[in-house]
Structure formats: C-alpha cells, structure tokens
Amino acid sequence: MALEKEHSMTTRNTQAEWETIINEAEKDIPSSFPEYKAPILGTPDFANCIDHTLLKLDANKDQIDELCEEARRHQFRSVCVRLIWVERAVHNLQGSGVVVACVVGFHEGTHSVSDKVKEASQAISNGALELDMVMNYPLLKQQRYPQVYTDIAAVRNVAPHPVVLKVILETAQLTQFDIIAGCKVAEAANADFVKTSTGFGGQGATVENVRLMKSVIGPHMKVKASGGVKTVNECVSMMEAGAERIGTSNGVWIMKEALALLEDTTHAAGGHDRKNSRPSDSLTGMFSSS
C-alpha cells in the first residue's frame, strides 16, 4: 500500500490539462489515413514483426518449449508469456536472438500499481526484455487520466529503456475518444508501443483502431496489433494500417501462408492458388521491395 501511495503522488498533468491534450488530439485526427508498407512476405523482416504468444492459464511446460522452438525456427521477434514461464523461455531461447516478453496486469488491467510494479520487476529479473502491460482501462473509461498515467509511469520507472514497454488498451471495451486518450497517456508515460488488445476482452485488433492509434501517437512510438490476427491477410492488413508488431498465437500458420505465397509467386508467377493458402489482391505488392 505504501508503494502505491508513493506512486500516486506523482502525475504529469492535472485532470484539466489531460482533457485539453486529449481534446486537441481528437481534433487533429485526419479525415483519411495513409497506407504503410509491410515487410516482404516470408522474409526475416516479416518474421521479426511477430510476437509468438501463449497466454492460456492452463499452458504447460511442453507447450512453452514448443512455443520457443517454433520462435527459434522462424526467428520471430519474441515469445510472449506469463510471468511463471519467463525463466524457462529465456533458458530455451539462449543464443537464438528471440527475446522474451512478459504480460503485466493481465488480463483485466485492474491490478494495483504496486502489484504491477512487482510483476514487472520480477519479469525483468527473470530475463524478460519486453513487457506487455494492461492499462487500467476501467479508470480510463472513467476519464481518471492522472491515475492511468501513474499506473503506466510506475512500470516504466522500474523498466527503463532498453526494456520495451507496450501498453495494452483493450480497444473492444473503449470508445474512439477513450482510445485517443489511452494513446496520449501512454505516450506521455514514455511507453514504446500502444497495443490493441489482450485477446481475452472482446473483439481483438481491427484495421480501423490500428489506423486511429497510429494517427494519434508521435513518430517515436509504435502500434502493436493483437487479438484475432490469425492469417497472413489479416497480418498484412494490420501492417498496412500502421502496426509494426503483431501479437498472435498463429505465427507458425501465418509464416506457412507467407512462404507458400512467396513460393507460388517466385516459381509459378502467381499462376495458381496454393492449397490451404488464402491469397488476396492486397498482397500483390508484398513480394518485392519496389
């Protein structure tokens, strides 16, 4: 409790100042959004955008070992797991170049500040290099912005750079205004990413929300799309909307699709559809850097 009181004493802005910042951000939302270029399908750059994820409460050590082996084989950016599995994942991935991300305050986001700080500190001590923390989105919906800021800033304080901090908004539970507010508060707390969803709280990532989040944040912050991204088409759509990281438990399937499409294009000039792949016209430009 003392730790929580200590954190709550420090806020960046008053309630009125937060409201002004967020209202101005809402006014600046563009009427149209740019399309971003995704990495070439099936390449290391493409795989490096994927956080290979297993967050089920009933996950076991064999499943974690398999998750890590898959991430090592495909050279995904990270594996994302609960705190209980961080040490095992770090051990499994030694020398692979794949990092371990740990969720914090998962999945409700309503854990106390002190509990989130303790969880983040333990994850880093166990070897996690990235944290995916759930914002206290019920407080966000109540527009209690100083408290939301304190929640994130407290975790950032015990997880300074180069630890990567991603803040999960749980967009399915939020209005557009709430999403804008969440992005601006997370940005002010020096988070590295805003992330759409936990995958446990309703609809996951949508192209519309990724575009909105990308338009609100500054150039030094990024968007992670997570929740319901199961195919290469969905993955590319999120990237084209502005996501630079994809959280999914379907990374192996996505890579299978991506490599099959690349092989068909390279060796058959796109002359036929490969069984079990889901090609889309939107992927036409995804096989060259031009």
Side-chain angles (χ1 to χ4, degrees):
M1 184 63 70
L3 180 61
E4 189 167 357
K5 286 181 179 178
E6 178 184 339
H7 289 312
S8 67
M9 291 168 59
T10 303
T11 58
R12 177 162 176 162
N13 298 298
T14 65
Q15 179 69 24
E17 288 169 336
W18 278 120
E19 289 172 0
T20 298
I21 291 167
I22 294 161
N23 285 327
E24 289 299 316
E26 184 184 36
K27 291 177 185 177
D28 290 340
I29 298 299
S31 57
S32 61
F33 300 93
E35 183 174 292
Y36 297 88
K37 190 170 183 64
I40 300 170
L41 288 179
T43 63
D45 285 345
F46 183 82
N48 197 45
C49 292
I50 294 176
D51 289 347
H52 198 35
T53 302
L54 179 57
L55 297 170
K56 292 191 231 177
L57 279 170
D58 60 355
N60 59 52
K61 63 181 182 179
D62 292 336
Q63 292 172 321
I64 295 297
D65 292 347
E66 182 180 14
L67 182 84
C68 293
E69 189 279 325
E70 290 168 346
R72 180 187 287 270
R73 174 161 32 101
H74 291 288
Q75 283 296 287
F76 294 136
R77 181 62 166 265
S78 80
V79 297
C80 186
V81 296
R82 292 180 184 262
L83 178 59
I84 189 175
W85 298 117
V86 169
E87 280 188 290
R88 189 178 189 92
V90 169
H91 175 77
N92 286 345
L93 291 167
Q94 285 180 349
S96 69
V98 180
V99 302
V100 175
C102 180
V103 290
V104 173
F106 198 85
H107 66 275
E108 301 89 346
T110 53
H111 304 63
S112 68
V113 175
S114 59
D115 282 347
K116 286 184 179 179
V117 165
K118 289 175 185 176
E119 192 172 18
S121 298
Q122 187 63 57
I124 294 167
S125 178
N126 290 356
L129 294 179
E130 301 193 353
L131 301 176
D132 288 40
M133 73 166 289
V134 186
M135 174 183 283
N136 194 323
Y137 61 86
L139 290 182
L140 181 73
K141 292 170 70 173
Q142 296 167 26
Q143 300 188 1
R144 295 169 64 183
Y145 304 128
Q147 291 93 327
V148 176
Y149 171 84
T150 296
D151 184 53
I152 303 168
V155 173
R156 176 86 278 181
N157 186 54
V158 297
H161 294 104
V163 174
V164 173
L165 178 61
K166 311 177 205 122
V167 176
I168 306 170
L169 304 185
E170 201 67 289
T171 51
Q173 305 300 320
L174 304 177
T175 65
Q176 176 175 295
F177 186 81
D178 292 334
I179 293 171
I180 294 168
C183 288
K184 297 313 290 183
V185 175
E187 183 177 38
N190 293 317
D192 300 291
F193 282 79
V194 278
K195 175 178 169 181
T196 55
S197 318
T198 63
F200 290 76
Q203 184 182 23
T206 68
V207 166
E208 293 75 20
N209 284 337
V210 170
R211 284 175 179 154
L212 175 64
M213 292 160 68
K214 180 67 174 176
S215 73
V216 170
I217 60 176
H220 302 297
M221 202 176 189
K222 299 176 182 178
V223 176
K224 175 176 173 178
S226 185
V229 183
K230 299 178 179 178
T231 70
V232 71
N233 285 1
E234 292 165 347
C235 187
V236 170
S237 294
M238 297 299 169
M239 291 173 170
E240 290 177 341
E244 295 184 55
R245 197 80 71 87
I246 304 294
T248 180
S249 58
N250 291 277
V252 173
W253 173 252
I254 289 170
M255 286 301 294
K256 178 182 176 182
E257 286 190 307
L259 291 168
L261 287 166
L262 181 61
E263 182 182 346
D264 278 353
T265 301
T266 302
H267 297 293
H272 65 278
D273 289 345
R274 193 179 186 92
K275 185 179 179 181
N276 291 329
S277 66
R278 304 185 184 97
S280 165
D281 290 343
S282 69
L283 301 180
T284 304
M286 291 295 301
F287 303 102
S288 70
S289 58
S290 60

